[in-house]
């Protein structure tokens, strides 16, 4: 094993190169759901802030949506499959645990023999995967990493349970992380609260269940501290933020945490209104859509915050390419 401690030719930073996203074509409105369960457009909007969501069709899978989003990210970054040497898929809704999603995604994208593994940190999964990718690049284990959050939550929803069927949706978001001379991906601040694991779980090993009020209290009273720590570690003042992009769990949660950050000038992602809660896909999906709308010009400083089942959480500061 050679010792390269004296080398200076290898970049020691990580940067984002591009984003990509995919949403199913099928739009399900609140009025559509009200035809099946006892709910209404006004009730859903007031409780969770969602107006509509995208639901995948039978032929759409975690893998196929990840391929679509990953392909867009590669194209947007001007990269070929040969440029990628590590693929990480964040998901908690893959139907089959074996094989993993990442190796299948890589093969379908034409990426030859990359490192490939999945990350299950639920709705914090993309932030976890991005932190791992950035560290792999900084450490020299990879030069270009494709990171994807992809979820088909509709497979795990009881469509007769009005407390959950109005919230969850499907989609995928992707990013490419590459080696750079200077860091543009801040240190990840992550953790877990396993004593609260029973607040979000699979009921009867089949249907998503969450204790909404307990999760709401946890997110709105504790997680802003994680976001502030990520800012501190990155050396960024809240006043310098261009945008705050938290996991799109619930609009009331998003706005409550945003108020506590002390960054009134930052654009706050509200993608949940038209996309629903897409778990690990929500943050990259929101960033991709905000970038397309011109809300995040090149060089924007963005704070992300993921949180979900486990309970897990993670935050980091990013610079938009």
């Amino acid at each position: 094993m050679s010792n390269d401690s004296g080398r200076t030719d290898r970049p020691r930073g990580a940067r984002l190169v591009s984003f990509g996203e995919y949403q199913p074509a099928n739009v399900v409105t609140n009025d559509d759901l009200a035809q099946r369960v006892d709910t209404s457009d006004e009730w859903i909007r007031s409780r969770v802030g969602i107006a509509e969501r995208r639901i995948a069709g039978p032929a759409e899978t975690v893998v196929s949506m990840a391929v679509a989003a990953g392909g867009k990210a590669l194209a947007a970054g001007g990269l070929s499959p040969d440029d990628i040497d590590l693929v990480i898929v964040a998901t908690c809704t893959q139907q089959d645990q074996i094989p993993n999603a990442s190796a299948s995604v890589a093969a379908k994208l034409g990426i030859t023999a990359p490192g490939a593994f999945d990350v299950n940190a639920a709705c914090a999964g993309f932030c976890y995967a991005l932190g791992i990718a950035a560290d792999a690049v900084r450490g020299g284990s990879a030069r270009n990493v494709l990171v994807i959050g992809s979820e088909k939550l509709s497979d795990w929803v009881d469509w007769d349970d009005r407390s959950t069927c109005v919230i969850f949706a499907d989609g995928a978001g992707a990013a490419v992380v590459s080696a750079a001379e200077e860091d543009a991906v801040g240190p990840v601040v992550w953790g877990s609260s396993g004593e609260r694991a029973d607040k979000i779980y699979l009921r009867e090993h089949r249907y998503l269940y969450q204790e909404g009020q307990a999760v709401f209290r946890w997110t709105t009273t504790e997680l802003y501290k994680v976001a502030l720590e990520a800012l501190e570690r990155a050396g960024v003042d809240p006043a310098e933020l261009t945008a705050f992009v938290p996991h799109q769990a619930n609009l009331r949660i998003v706005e409550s945490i945003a108020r506590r950050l002390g960054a009134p000038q930052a654009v706050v992602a509200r993608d949940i209104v038209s996309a629903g809660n897409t778990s690990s896909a929500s943050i990259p999906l929101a960033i991709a859509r905000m970038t397309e709308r011109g809300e995040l010009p090149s060089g924007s400083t963005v704070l992300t915050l993921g949180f979900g089942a486990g309970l897990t959480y993670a935050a980091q500061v990013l610079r938009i390419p």
Side-chain angles (χ1 to χ4, degrees), residues 180-238:
E181 296 298 333
E182 295 183 2
D183 253 334
V185 179
V188 63
V189 177
W190 51 19
S192 61
S193 182
E195 67 276 10
R196 296 182 175 99
D198 61 343
K199 305 307 179 188
I200 307 174
Y201 64 92
L202 281 181
R203 190 181 74 239
E204 301 168 358
H205 305 286
R206 184 66 184 88
Y207 296 122
L208 278 167
Y209 167 82
Q210 68 173 354
E211 193 174 314
Q213 287 302 314
V215 173
F216 185 86
R217 287 193 298 272
W218 173 66
T219 55
T220 56
T221 61
E222 297 186 34
L223 292 187
Y224 77 96
K225 302 171 189 175
V226 178
L228 289 173
E229 185 178 347
L231 286 170
E232 182 179 357
R233 289 197 190 181
V236 174
D237 188 272

Side-chain angles (χ1 to χ4, degrees), residues 13-93:
R15 68 183 178 94
L16 288 161
V17 174
S18 56
F19 285 89
E21 52 81 23
Y22 176 81
Q23 289 185 288
N26 180 32
V27 177
V28 176
T29 67
N30 293 340
D31 290 334
D32 291 333
L33 292 176
Q35 295 179 29
R36 176 159 183 165
V37 296
D38 181 18
T39 192
S40 67
D41 178 64
E42 188 279 330
W43 189 92
I44 297 170
R45 286 176 184 262
S46 66
R47 299 306 193 282
V48 294
I50 299 172
E52 62 184 36
R53 73 285 292 147
R54 303 293 185 96
I55 302 299
E60 293 175 299
T61 66
V62 166
V63 168
S64 70
M65 291 188 291
V67 168
K72 287 182 180 179
L74 291 180
L79 297 166
S80 75
D82 291 339
D83 293 319
I84 303 298
D85 44 21
L86 176 60
V87 177
I88 307 173
V89 173
T91 186
C92 61
T93 55

